[in-house]
Amino acid sequence: MTSFRTPRSHTDRLRTRIADGDIARVADEALRVMDSSRGSWGGGWERVLDQLRALPAEDRRALLHALADRFQRAGDDVEARCNHLALYTLVAEGLDGSERIADDPLAAERRKALDDLARRQSFWHAARFEVLGRAELAAGRALPAPVVAVVRRAALDAYRADDLVGLARQLTAPVLNVGEAWAEQALSDATTPEWQALLAHALTATASKPTAKWDKAARALLDTLGTDRVRETVLSWLALVGRPRTLPLDRREWEPDIDNAYDPYNATALRGLAWLLSLLPPRPEAARALGALVETSLKKVAGLGPRNPKVANAGVVALARIDSEAALAELARLATRVTYKNTAKLLDTALETRATALGLTRDEIEELAVPAYGLTDIGRAEHRLGEATALLEVRGPRAVLSWRNAAGKPVRTVPVAVKRDHPDELKDLKAAVKDIDKMLSAQSERLDRQFLARRTWPYATWRERYLDHPLVGTLARRLLWTVDGVTAGYADGELRTLTGEALTEGTRVELWHPVGHAPAEIVAWRDWLERHGITQPFKQAHREIYLLTDAERTTGTYSNRFAAHVLRQHQFHSLAAIRGWHNKLRLCVDDSAPPATRELPRWGLRAEYWIEGDGEEYGVDTTDSGSYLRLRTDQVRFYPIDAPQNSAHCYGGEYAMWLAPGQDPVAPVPLETIPPLVLSEVLRDVDLFVGVSSIGNDPTWQDGGPGGRFREYWTSYGFGELNQSAETRRLLLERLVPRLAIADRCTLEGRFLHVRGDRHTYKIHLGSGNILMTPNDQYLCIVPKSAPTAPGTGYLPYEGDRMLSVILSKAMLLAADTKITDLSIVSQL
């Protein structure tokens, strides 16, 4: 290892070597400088370089030859080779043509180093690649497009050097970085100066929102190219955003999944393109593309988090600037889906601004924002295309497009004549199907969160926005409502009571909740739904009710009902956000965090779920970025909504209230004073978090995870007592199992569904879906598909219980265990 010397000592030694006229030893000393400086040619090191550049031209040429002769000493170390090339190039800078070496001996090595750079995401400034790039440009050779991309990305780094930024500014072609599908399509399409200017203008979108000056320049470009042409072309580019890189990059083990991330240079152009779309005459397809851009930009990338929140925010800004029903619908839909805090806040602001402008509340603007998507009846529309008829229908949670020929006979595929003669109409119909699917999911989630909103509607308004709305009506007519205190559901073309009496008028309407209703009435409504074949979009009549327990009366101010669980942190975090909770990811660092909280402004309360990170070993208990993989759970508490925030260390310890000077602590609210509806819904959320996120649900964790330390928890959860949602599932299975095709092979006993196969008898746990088989309760690991289905189950009273589908699909599989072909299962039987 080269011993460290100060810049002054290097300067003195070089002066001696130069005075002696020994160029070979000057070269050796210069290489020692390079090794010691690690590319940091600033301060005292710059004085060393000045000495070398001050040599007479003949001595500098000799020095360059000596440096070239010593290049192989750098070996295979990439950084050492690049620093050697940088030193050689820096010494050569300033020599005119007559003074240079006739045949640059390291030119090929320099080009090779740059070619190797092409597969990197970025580079550390000390490697001095910008010096090599300048040399190539000075020699009249353009840098390859992939190298240009790396230089530009490196110049965006917080530690960029001024000369690197200067080199990046010189590299004006190609206008976008290669390596992304959308950008390469844009480069292929933008072959004229006008299109190049449009992309260049998009790259100036560096602010949080466009300025009047930016808009003015953009409109001039749009006038030149034509708005319809720009819309069609830009939308074709945006359709490719988010695809894996066309030029894969070399990923170091500590780096995020860069091949699924956005190129940060191109991301600025995406922001500009989103703003450009907002300046065009509004079209549904533009709003749709902007909504997709927001969601794509917020998709998580391993080691990085959301791909690019700034691009997502630009999409929201663009939608907020478009005055159209489709844009408002996208904003409302995204508001139910987006969980990233800053983007969600931007969506809230956009909707609040639109509501204020129209003199409406936020709730009203969300209701009015739901389009009909061409539906002319509740969940149904017919479109005549030539001699064929397209039938668009909402069936449960999905939209379905079917076809009939001229004779009215159903056909399985799109008629050839429709594809030939009506391509645009066909494209619009297919887009409507996708839009309806997205909006149905968003509206179902919005309605499911309305129980705590204490929202009521005038009867006529409710009928217009809910019961008789072409899209929302497909959900509203499968729910129960309270009209002036009378519970009713929709059946046989009318709103009806439990006894079948039609309700044709009323004053106030609210969403029905089982809390406060007698068990006999709840069961009667379940029977009513089944009798009419109504599958609810989420649990309502079968909704779990969480009543205060004796243990909670004893603790007084907190519930331990969902304490001592081990949850997958990132799954919990995402689910909490969807349910309206705020949470901060726990990192394995010296930091504190508040509990997961849900604010309940209509009730003046804040619910808290106390959690902490689990483990302490990086790479085993954490992701590469240091966030915990798992959480341990503790109490559920309630506080006044304006109470100071509690916080605790991320890896555990007591929660304490953070108090401003002169501020007094605020006591938690006694559980007995919490309204039963609020208590039930909050505890239901927490039960959902545990039921979905617990490691006990993972069939592959029978070994207990890292070091086996979770084996006891996994066993107790995976085969233990049922929680409230599993009890609801058990009650449903009591009615459902007798109707199954495999009913003669199934029995319900306690916590398990027993399934008799030909090889074994199996016990499927109703909470976790884990399986034990005879003899000796041997564990059977079956990993369910991402979207399990259970054919032949018949009527189900509600949608959305994935574990129910898992249990039923496993039961169907195991009842015919001699027909199983999956080797991973057969090997265990």
Side-chain angles (χ1 to χ4, degrees):
M1 178 181 293
T2 303
S3 60
F4 176 78
R5 293 181 181 275
T6 65
R8 182 179 181 84
S9 65
H10 277 303
T11 303
D12 293 343
R13 289 170 65 86
L14 267 177
R15 185 179 298 112
T16 302
R17 303 291 181 249
I18 292 170
D20 293 342
D22 190 341
I23 296 300
R25 298 187 72 180
V26 170
D28 290 335
E29 187 63 29
L31 289 171
R32 292 190 186 97
V33 172
M34 176 202 72
D35 186 51
S36 180
S37 68
R38 294 295 180 187
S40 300
W41 295 91
W45 307 120
E46 189 67 34
R47 292 193 294 273
V48 171
L49 185 59
D50 287 343
Q51 285 184 287
L52 301 178
R53 284 172 167 167
L55 291 171
E58 183 178 349
D59 289 344
R60 285 177 71 182
R61 285 198 299 273
L63 176 59
L64 291 173
H65 278 296
L67 291 173
D69 291 341
R70 288 158 172 75
F71 179 73
Q72 296 308 319
R73 295 182 186 177
D76 296 328
D77 184 79
V78 174
E79 184 174 326
R81 292 172 71 87
C82 290
N83 281 335
H84 196 128
L85 289 168
L87 175 63
Y88 176 91
T89 304
L90 288 167
V91 171
E93 284 183 345
L95 288 173
D96 61 32
S98 61
E99 297 171 333
R100 289 181 179 273
I101 301 175
D103 181 21
D104 186 346
L106 295 185
E109 293 289 350
R110 185 168 59 241
R111 287 193 293 273
K112 181 180 182 301
L114 289 171
D115 287 341
D116 292 341
L117 178 66
R119 296 187 68 86
R120 291 199 194 180
Q121 166 73 1
S122 183
F123 59 85
W124 178 241
H125 68 88
R128 302 308 301 265
F129 277 109
E130 76 279 0
V131 174
L132 311 187
R134 285 204 311 265
E136 285 295 287
L137 296 179
R141 290 185 291 268
L143 299 184
V147 176
V148 171
V150 182
V151 172
R152 285 170 170 169
R153 291 193 293 265
L156 294 174
D157 191 276
Y159 297 99
R160 60 191 182 274
D162 290 342
D163 47 358
L164 174 58
V165 174
L167 174 62
R169 288 174 179 166
Q170 287 181 254
L171 304 175
T172 57
V175 64
L176 297 175
N177 281 353
V178 298
E180 291 184 310
W182 83 265
E184 294 191 0
Q185 185 62 53
L187 292 172
S188 176
D189 293 339
T191 56
T192 66
E194 293 81 8
W195 278 104
Q196 294 278 319
L198 182 138
L199 287 175
H201 186 60
L203 282 164
T204 65
T206 56
S208 60
K209 58 183 179 181
T211 62
K213 181 179 179 181
W214 194 95
D215 282 347
K216 181 179 180 180
R219 286 194 174 95
L221 291 166
L222 295 174
D223 291 341
T224 301
L225 291 167
T227 55
D228 290 341
R229 185 183 175 197
V230 169
R231 180 189 300 105
E232 180 180 357
T233 305
V234 171
L235 291 183
S236 71
W237 299 344
L238 295 187
L240 301 174
V241 172
R243 295 189 179 184
R245 288 184 57 84
T246 57
L247 177 64
L249 299 173
D250 293 333
R251 178 186 178 189
R252 301 174 187 178
E253 61 181 21
W254 64 84
E255 288 183 319
D257 183 9
I258 49 183
D259 283 341
N260 283 302
Y262 286 174
D263 184 303
Y265 183 84
N266 289 347
T268 302
L270 284 176
R271 297 171 69 189
L273 293 175
W275 294 351
L276 280 169
L277 286 178
S278 70
L279 298 175
L280 304 175
R283 294 286 189 277
E285 57 267 31
R288 187 182 304 124
L290 288 169
L293 180 65
V294 172
E295 292 183 294
T296 302
S297 301
L298 292 178
K299 283 186 176 179
K300 299 292 182 64
V301 172
L304 179 67
R307 277 192 177 118
N308 197 298
K310 288 185 177 180
V311 174
N313 292 348
V316 174
V317 168
L319 285 167
R321 291 184 355 139
I322 299 175
D323 185 13
S324 75
E325 179 186 83
L328 181 57
E330 280 297 316
L331 288 171
R333 183 185 69 80
L334 290 169
T336 69
R337 306 289 293 172
V338 168
T339 60
Y340 185 73
K341 185 175 180 179
N342 290 340
T343 307
K345 184 177 180 181
L346 204 60
L347 284 163
D348 286 341
T349 300
L351 288 170
E352 291 283 0
T353 301
R354 189 71 62 91
T356 301
L358 296 174
L360 301 171
T361 65
R362 165 66 185 276
D363 289 331
E364 288 177 312
I365 201 69
E366 287 193 4
E367 293 167 354
L368 293 173
V370 185
Y373 295 111
L375 299 172
T376 54
D377 199 355
I378 306 300
R380 192 177 187 279
E382 288 189 5
H383 298 269
R384 187 79 177 178
L385 302 179
E387 295 186 347
T389 300
L391 180 60
L392 179 58
E393 293 180 294
V394 175
R395 300 178 187 172
R398 302 295 300 275
V400 177
L401 187 62
S402 58
W403 297 89
R404 294 174 183 166
N405 61 18
K409 181 180 178 181
V411 292
R412 298 182 62 182
T413 59
V414 182
V416 174
V418 172
K419 294 180 180 179
R420 182 187 65 237
D421 302 331
H422 303 277
D424 292 338
E425 293 93 329
L426 178 60
K427 180 181 178 181
D428 290 342
L429 281 172
K430 289 181 176 181
V433 169
K434 293 180 180 179
D435 288 345
I436 289 172
D437 285 349
K438 291 180 180 179
M439 187 57 80
L440 279 171
S441 176
Q443 291 303 309
S444 179
E445 290 174 5
R446 184 177 70 86
L447 282 165
D448 194 16
R449 294 202 296 261
Q450 289 299 305
F451 291 109
L452 286 174
R454 305 182 78 176
R455 183 124 161 78
T456 65
W457 300 265
Y459 181 82
T461 300
W462 168 76
R463 287 208 65 125
E464 176 188 356
R465 298 178 186 175
Y466 286 87
L467 200 68
D468 297 332
H469 188 282
L471 181 68
V472 183
T474 65
L475 302 171
R477 293 187 178 195
R478 294 189 283 141
L479 294 171
L480 300 178
W481 303 87
T482 301
V483 182
D484 297 334
V486 178
T487 305
Y490 192 88
D492 302 325
E494 294 286 353
L495 199 63
R496 299 185 183 277
T497 65
L498 191 57
T499 59
E501 180 184 354
L503 279 181
T504 58
E505 58 184 21
T507 305
R508 303 296 298 183
V509 182
E510 60 183 320
L511 192 60
W512 180 87
H513 191 284
V515 162
H517 294 272
E521 180 188 356
I522 297 171
V523 171
W525 274 113
R526 292 176 181 177
D527 292 339
W528 185 92
L529 291 169
E530 184 175 341
R531 191 163 62 249
H532 289 91
I534 297 173
T535 298
Q536 297 199 291
F538 47 81
K539 289 182 183 178
Q540 186 190 27
H542 291 75
R543 203 171 189 85
E544 300 83 7
I545 300 175
Y546 297 79
L547 302 176
L548 202 62
T549 64
D550 290 340
E552 288 161 345
R553 290 188 178 91
T554 300
T555 56
T557 57
Y558 63 88
S559 169
N560 272 330
R561 198 184 304 199
F562 304 104
H565 287 283
V566 182
L567 310 184
R568 292 178 288 265
Q569 173 170 218
H570 293 83
Q571 191 172 16
F572 165 80
H573 183 72
S574 297
L575 186 58
I578 290 172
R579 295 297 301 169
W581 290 67
H582 299 289
N583 182 54
K584 179 180 178 181
L585 282 174
R586 267 60 177 170
L587 300 176
C588 189
V589 295
D590 187 13
D591 191 16
S592 61
T597 62
R598 181 173 180 180
E599 294 187 348
L600 307 165
R602 300 291 177 92
W603 305 87
L605 294 170
R606 182 181 76 228
E608 296 187 352
Y609 190 26
W610 289 8
I611 54 177
E612 62 185 44
D614 175 82
E616 55 187 21
E617 186 175 348
Y618 264 73
V620 174
D621 299 314
T622 73
T623 64
D624 291 340
S625 59
S627 60
Y628 282 107
L629 292 171
R630 292 168 293 276
L631 300 171
R632 290 191 178 271
T633 67
D634 201 350
Q635 304 172 7
V636 175
R637 292 189 175 210
F638 293 85
Y639 287 86
I641 195 169
D642 56 354
Q645 186 65 264
N646 286 306
S647 63
H649 203 283
C650 289
Y651 53 70
E654 292 292 328
Y655 272 91
M657 190 167 282
W658 188 90
L659 300 174
Q663 193 174 23
D664 295 324
V666 176
V669 179
L671 295 181
E672 286 190 327
T673 67
I674 302 297
L677 174 63
V678 175
L679 180 71
S680 184
E681 283 299 296
V682 167
L683 293 182
R684 183 178 184 273
D685 275 354
V686 178
D687 196 358
L688 178 68
F689 302 155
V690 173
V692 173
S693 306
S694 172
I695 63 171
N697 286 329
D698 191 334
T700 66
W701 271 59
Q702 70 269 26
D703 63 352
R709 69 176 188 267
F710 301 111
R711 186 177 292 111
E712 182 178 349
Y713 170 76
W714 183 86
T715 301
S716 64
Y717 182 90
F719 299 104
E721 295 299 321
L722 302 182
N723 61 14
Q724 195 68 37
S725 60
E727 286 286 358
T728 301
R729 192 175 299 127
R730 187 185 190 285
L731 292 173
L732 174 58
L733 284 169
E734 286 180 351
R735 304 175 65 132
L736 184 61
V737 166
R739 306 172 194 166
L740 298 177
I742 59 170
D744 61 331
R745 290 178 171 263
C746 297
T747 55
L748 273 171
E749 295 182 16
R751 304 187 298 270
F752 297 92
L753 172 62
H754 294 247
V755 181
R756 177 173 53 83
D758 293 322
R759 295 180 172 180
H760 302 276
T761 295
Y762 307 90
K763 295 162 57 178
I764 307 175
H765 191 262
L766 302 182
S768 65
N770 290 336
I771 306 167
L772 299 174
M773 62 180 178
T774 57
N776 304 323
D777 281 347
Q778 181 180 343
Y779 178 68
L780 174 61
C781 178
I782 298 180
V783 180
K785 297 179 180 178
S786 57
T789 58
T793 56
Y795 166 78
L796 293 176
Y798 52 81
E799 298 163 356
D801 188 344
R802 182 179 183 275
M803 185 54 69
L804 177 63
S805 297
V806 168
I807 291 169
L808 290 172
S809 63
K810 287 182 177 181
M812 296 290 184
L813 178 72
L814 296 172
D817 55 2
T818 57
K819 297 180 181 179
I820 297 174
T821 57
D822 188 319
L823 294 180
S824 66
I825 300 175
V826 172
S827 63
Q828 303 176 71
L829 298 178

